[in-house]
Amino acid sequence: MGKRVAKEVSIAVADAVAQCKVDVVSAYPITPQTHIVEHLADLVNNGELDAEYIPVESEHAAMSACIGAAATGARTFTSTAAQGLLFMYEMLPIASAFRLPIVMVIANRAISAPISIWNDHGDVMTMRDLGWIQTFAENGQEAVDLVYHAYRVAEKAMLPVAVNLDGFIVTHVVEPVELLDQELVDKYIPPLKMKHKLDPKKPITIGAIGVPEIYTEARKAQDEAFKASYKVVVKAWQEFEKISGRRYQPIETYKMEDAEVALVIMGSLAETAMNTVDALREKGKKVGLIRIRLWRPFPTQDFIKALGKVKAITVFDRALSHGATGGPVGIEVRSALYQSNKRPKVLNLIGALGGRDVTTEDFEELFDRTFSFIKAKPRFAYEIFGAKE
Amino acid sequence: MLKDQGLMSWKELAPGMYILEPGNSVKFKTGDWKSHKPVLDKEKCIKCGQCYLMCPEPAYEENEEGYFICNLNYCKGCGICAAICPKGAITMVLEEA
């Protein structure tokens, strides 16, 4: 087993990326992702990582460089946040449509305007439909483990993977983190061998035109591969458990066995919510927590199973979909439940935007509201939580 | 049932819609939607081959007699050949529907 050392999570994530022996790192620094790529630049400069570091002039170029490099069979990494991710946008669906195993860490940050460097999930929700596998980390250890997992999945499923870490709250915290021994990493992530790649000795065309007679078929093929990646994701976690002893699943539950109400959350806020669950359980209240770790492809069956016997849930979204019927997670959850016989009441709140604190007391209030929602008539599609009137 | 418009099944496509066979575009007719087509007057033609050289597609091929003949399956009707011809041997005529 590896040694547990206190490290800033960004540094630990960069070390994990280096352990995966990436060939190309291409990134443009943006808060709160900066420390990750700075540390990788250091490692390349010191000769500790045998990779090309491409300091590009924009995120659009960062993703373009990764696409070009990955198409030749290189293992690639990039990282970004907020407006940087949006600047990358044009290239994101190309990476997934070309079935390139690019790994990107997104240090989640609210999008402008107004300018905010603080954390919410507004940035990554803009790319939820682009065919990238997406996972959300809760803490430093999980962030590191999801990086290893991302390379395993990306290269087995031949799809790009985005690992989401809450900006500052996860990225800049110093935590005890255990990195895997190098030999285990080498076993878990063997050298990348692509069946088809850009090679002058065996020429192929990537990025041809798709006339109306073939575009639909191309997207269907991509969609089938994307849906099939669910199994790859789960299997990679099972294999990871064997080498590390740490168990990960698409949906994480906390005290859900006999819960009457539950909160549904993604990312680091679940740690606070767990404390609230503990406190309320001591008072005899049957509350639980569901955390979505795998956001795309959405694990519908796992989610429905996780609900147990709850009568009402509150989906706590950290992104706004203006004028929609809910936040992105709320919409997803309601849509999944509509196809199911198990259909608890769903309260959808949008909060913790742009780094706004949500405390254990707030979660207590949320659980109270969820209890009273069991019998209430739903009136709102969604509500922004904590906005001062 | 929706009318079948697909070229091939999605299952037959290479991952990423890669084209694994270089040069396979010759299998597809790429010029059958043009509005004008070039017509050669062999009386005026001096077989200089400028149409062949300047064709952006390139749709012109030399035949056994040394004339350069346009393959209309690939001609997009741009009219460069007609414009470049030093003898005015090529005229663009309206493609009949």
Side-chain angles (χ1 to χ4, degrees), chain A residues 115-137:
Chain A
I115 297 168
S116 166
I117 57 168
W118 295 273
N119 159 245
D120 70 29
H121 296 161
D123 55 357
V124 67
M125 284 305 159
T126 61
M127 67 173 288
R128 70 184 159 148
D129 302 331
L130 301 183
W132 280 62
I133 293 169
Q134 290 186 34
T135 54
F136 276 79

Side-chain angles (χ1 to χ4, degrees), chain B residues 8 20 25-26 31 33 38 43 47 57 59 67-68 82 88 90:
Chain B
M8 63 200 283
L20 306 178
S25 58
V26 294
W33 43 264
E43 297 292 314
K47 303 178 182 175
E57 279 312 311
Y67 289 108
F68 293 91
I90 301 172

Side-chain angles (χ1 to χ4, degrees), chain A residues 91-111:
Chain A
M91 302 315 290
L92 293 172
I94 295 178
S96 54
F98 285 178
R99 309 281 310 274
L100 299 173
I102 296 164
V103 171
M104 166 160 70
V105 167
I106 306 173
N108 300 127
R109 162 181 162 185
I111 47 176

Side-chain angles (χ1 to χ4, degrees), chain A residues 256 259-264 287-290 310 312-315 367 370:
Chain A
M256 283 299 292
E260 282 175 13
V261 300
L263 271 182
V264 179
V287 295
L289 178 75
I290 297 173
V310 291
I313 56 173
T314 291
V315 180
F367 275 118
T370 320

Side-chain angles (χ1 to χ4, degrees), chain A residues 280-298:
Chain A
L280 291 177
R281 280 273 171 182
E282 273 177 31
K283 291 180 192 166
K285 291 189 177 174
K286 291 182 176 175
V287 295
L289 178 75
I290 297 173
R291 182 162 67 87
I292 301 168
R293 181 180 282 123
L294 176 65
W295 168 235
R296 282 286 185 277
F298 189 76

